[in-house]
Amino acid sequence: MATDWLGSIVSINCGDSLGVYQGRVSAVDQVSQTISLTRPFHNGVKCLVPEVTFRAGDITELKILQIPGPRDSKESGDLQQTDLGIPGIGCQVSTNQNGTGKLLKKPTSSSSAPQAIPRRTDLKNQEAVISPQQQQCSKSYMDRHMESLNQSKGFRRRHNSWSSSSRHPNQVTPKKSGLKNGQMKSKDDECFGDDIEEIPDTDFDFEGNLALFDKAAVFEEIDTYERRGGTRSRGTPSERPARYRHDENILESEPIVYRQIVVPQNANKEFCTDSGLVVPSVSYELHKKLLSVAEKHGLTLERRLEMTGVCASQMALSLLGGPNRLNPKNVHQRPTVALLCGPHVKGAQGISCGRHLSNHDVHVILFLPNFVKMLESITNELNLFSKTQGQQVSSVKDLPDTPVDLVINCLDCHENAFLRDQPWYKAAVDWANQNRAPVLSIDPPMSEMEQGIDAKWSLALGLPLPLGERAGRVYLCDIGIPQKVFQEVGINYHSPFGCKFVIPLHST
């Protein structure tokens, strides 16, 4: 009786400790109560040993997945690849409505050719005769065959890279769709129809195979081929063409002269622009002489004040956020600027700047102390400023208690140093230092003169003075002095501004 089951494909569950084994029965020993499987699979992975033997005490559950037919008897000792990987190949067990078991058999075909899965409606045309020994199986035993058969339909042949935990060997998979010549065509067998012995048991060694690739030798061969063909696409680093920025001239015909401004006396301090051009500083006496000669040629004080106000306001608008802050959609974020001015020309420059800022919808608060007699330039600028929405105060107490967005300092003067001792000056300096707002100084004095307010930015006019560390980052603005006016005072001048009116300077 036991020999009748030789060649059957079975599934043996040995519990959680040993797992589940599948294979073809090769031997059954009734005396020692053992069963042997040839070419077994353990938890869906092919075992390294050709045969395993189980004792009856280790077996928790045994399921017969396929019963050998007359044509399978000669292959009872060999487990084919299609026995465990392709559903519908070999024999199937089903039950009729009256509970009688039938063995449904289909001839086994080659593993390399596509296999066809019979439809349930066509099974009646493929019935086979059941042997007398098989007819003695009880209905309950055949029901167990049906249960194991349904579970075996999901069993698929595994590649060595699949993990045993990703798909259980008894997982049920749906049948393929599509009808061809009355039979279902298995796509899995077309893709995975090779012999299972050809699948390697170890993972592919990517690192080892990559080490076999000699990159230097391949590139040398490519270089040799390109030299012989007269073309060279890669090129060596020394042969690569120079790369230029978007603001560089690719048709350069002569070397760049970075020192294009030469002053008649040695500069105490030198600056350079973003392009590398050297901008020397000048003394206050030379700067005063330059403005005097420019005024003699028609560049009056009113023109300089207007030009200074435009450049200073343009820089202040950029510091306040530019288009991101000054936007019609950001009316609730209107910036506030505190303008501290003294009764001199520097103060008039600050008032001109405040007028332009107010015209650009900036809330400007102008501080200017009361004096009995004002300069004509200050009076004219105040008259224009009063036509804007700006606010003018003469006492420090009227300045905001909360921090403002920007403080513009025009309190200092190059000549009248006695103003530093005035109470209004000291009060304005104390307010600016306590407000903790960033400070922009317009035309600050030289480094020899002590400044009461530390500036974050300083704006120089025409040519910079030798400013100290407390001046912060220095910017230079163009106030419209012609080139021949520079030559008249002994300065060899070439404009460093390019397309801008305000440029940053860096200490060398």
Side-chain angles (χ1 to χ4, degrees):
M1 184 65 181
T3 58
D4 294 338
W5 302 102
L6 294 179
S8 300
I9 299 176
V10 299
S11 175
I12 298 177
N13 188 353
C14 298
D16 297 336
S17 59
L18 296 179
V20 181
Y21 288 82
Q22 293 91 13
R24 188 182 295 277
V25 179
S26 60
V28 179
D29 192 347
Q30 295 181 353
V31 178
S32 59
Q33 294 292 307
T34 59
I35 182 172
S36 300
L37 302 182
T38 182
R39 302 182 67 177
F41 284 76
H42 179 223
N43 292 333
V45 180
K46 182 182 178 183
C47 298
L48 299 180
V49 295
E51 188 177 24
V52 292
T53 303
F54 303 91
R55 295 182 302 178
D58 298 334
I59 299 175
T60 304
E61 184 182 7
L62 188 145
K63 298 179 180 180
I64 299 178
L65 305 181
Q66 180 177 330
I67 302 174
R71 300 180 61 180
D72 297 336
S73 60
K74 59 182 179 180
E75 299 179 357
S76 60
D78 186 20
L79 177 62
Q80 296 296 329
Q81 177 180 345
T82 58
D83 292 341
L84 298 178
I86 306 299
I89 303 301
C91 298
Q92 298 182 357
V93 179
S94 65
T95 57
N96 293 334
Q97 296 179 356
N98 55 7
T100 305
K102 282 187 177 182
L103 179 63
L104 307 177
K105 182 187 175 186
K106 180 181 177 182
T108 305
S109 59
S110 175
S111 60
S112 60
Q115 306 294 336
I117 302 176
R119 297 174 58 90
R120 294 184 181 271
T121 57
D122 299 334
L123 291 179
K124 60 178 68 178
N125 299 326
Q126 302 179 12
E127 295 182 357
V129 180
I130 304 176
S131 62
Q133 294 83 357
Q134 296 168 358
Q135 292 179 358
Q136 297 176 3
C137 297
S138 61
K139 178 179 180 300
S140 60
Y141 196 57
M142 299 304 294
D143 291 339
R144 294 181 58 187
H145 290 175
M146 276 299 301
E147 180 183 358
S148 62
L149 180 62
N150 292 331
Q151 294 179 356
S152 66
K153 289 181 180 179
F155 185 75
R156 288 293 184 268
R157 183 170 59 256
R158 282 165 172 76
H159 192 272
N160 60 322
S161 62
W162 292 3
S163 61
S164 60
S165 59
S166 61
R167 294 183 61 187
H168 194 274
N170 294 332
Q171 180 181 358
V172 179
T173 57
K175 291 185 176 181
K176 301 294 181 179
S177 60
L179 185 63
K180 184 176 182 181
N181 297 328
Q183 294 181 344
M184 299 295 295
K185 190 172 183 179
S186 174
K187 301 298 182 180
D188 288 347
D189 198 42
E190 292 183 5
C191 184
F192 306 102
D194 296 336
D195 190 6
I196 198 170
E197 287 294 333
E198 299 179 2
I199 300 177
D201 294 334
T202 59
D203 294 336
F204 182 76
D205 188 5
F206 289 96
E207 184 176 358
N209 283 267
L210 184 61
L212 300 177
F213 176 68
D214 191 355
K215 186 188 300 184
V218 174
F219 283 151
E220 184 177 359
E221 182 180 355
I222 295 175
D223 292 341
T224 304
Y225 176 79
E226 290 177 348
R227 292 191 192 100
R228 292 177 180 177
T231 60
R232 185 173 183 84
S233 59
R234 293 194 311 113
T236 59
S238 59
E239 298 176 356
R240 292 177 181 174
R243 296 182 179 181
Y244 297 92
R245 298 197 312 267
H246 66 280
D247 56 348
E248 291 182 335
N249 184 14
I250 63 175
L251 301 177
E252 181 179 338
S253 58
E254 58 183 13
I256 301 175
V257 179
Y258 291 99
R259 190 175 293 275
Q260 299 179 356
I261 301 176
V262 180
V263 296
Q265 55 188 4
N266 294 331
N268 296 332
K269 192 173 184 179
E270 288 185 343
F271 301 89
C272 66
T273 64
D274 291 339
S275 302
L277 300 178
V278 178
V279 179
S281 63
V282 295
S283 61
Y284 175 69
E285 289 75 13
L286 183 58
H287 189 269
K288 185 178 179 180
K289 181 179 179 181
L290 177 64
L291 296 180
S292 177
V293 174
E295 187 173 358
K296 183 181 65 175
H297 288 283
L299 189 62
T300 60
L301 177 60
E302 288 76 11
R303 289 190 174 185
R304 297 203 311 269
L305 291 177
E306 189 68 17
M307 194 66 183
T308 303
V310 171
C311 293
S313 62
Q314 183 181 7
M315 180 178 176
L317 292 174
S318 300
L319 297 177
L320 291 173
N324 297 325
R325 181 75 179 275
L326 300 171
N327 193 303
K329 298 181 181 179
N330 296 334
V331 181
H332 60 285
Q333 296 182 356
R334 184 183 179 187
T336 301
V337 174
L339 193 60
L340 308 180
C341 298
H344 38 64
V345 177
K346 307 301 179 186
Q349 295 174 351
I351 300 173
S352 175
C353 174
R355 171 167 53 88
H356 290 288
L357 289 176
S358 183
N359 291 337
H360 286 266
D361 204 22
V362 177
H363 184 208
V364 180
I365 303 176
L366 171 62
F367 168 78
L368 181 65
N370 289 325
F371 278 84
V372 177
K373 186 178 181 180
M374 292 284 188
L375 296 177
E376 183 180 359
S377 58
I378 294 180
T379 304
N380 296 335
E381 292 298 333
L382 282 177
N383 186 27
L384 291 175
F385 182 81
S386 63
K387 307 301 179 182
T388 65
Q389 297 180 356
Q391 179 183 358
Q392 180 183 354
V393 297
S394 59
S395 176
V396 179
K397 297 179 181 180
D398 297 330
L399 292 174
D401 297 332
T402 58
V404 296
D405 294 280
L406 181 65
V407 174
I408 299 179
N409 180 21
C410 297
L411 295 174
D412 298 297
C413 180
H414 295 287
E415 298 175 351
N416 299 331
F418 66 91
L419 295 177
R420 299 174 181 271
D421 299 331
Q422 300 296 324
W424 59 266
Y425 182 91
K426 295 181 180 180
V429 170
D430 293 339
W431 177 89
N433 292 331
Q434 294 177 4
N435 192 265
R436 297 182 179 181
V439 179
L440 168 63
S441 295
I442 299 179
D443 195 14
M446 294 183 299
S447 59
E448 291 81 4
M449 301 181 63
E450 186 68 21
Q451 300 183 31
I453 303 176
D454 292 337
K456 188 174 183 179
W457 308 281
S458 294
L459 182 62
L461 310 181
L463 285 177
L465 299 175
L467 302 177
E469 297 295 333
R470 302 187 66 178
R473 187 173 182 181
V474 181
Y475 285 76
L476 184 67
C477 73
D478 185 8
I479 57 176
I481 301 178
Q483 184 178 10
K484 291 187 177 181
V485 175
F486 284 99
Q487 296 178 357
E488 188 172 344
V489 297
I491 299 177
N492 187 9
Y493 180 83
H494 184 80
S495 176
F497 293 97
C499 62
K500 300 179 181 179
F501 283 88
V502 179
I503 57 173
L505 296 181
H506 309 279
S507 299
T508 57

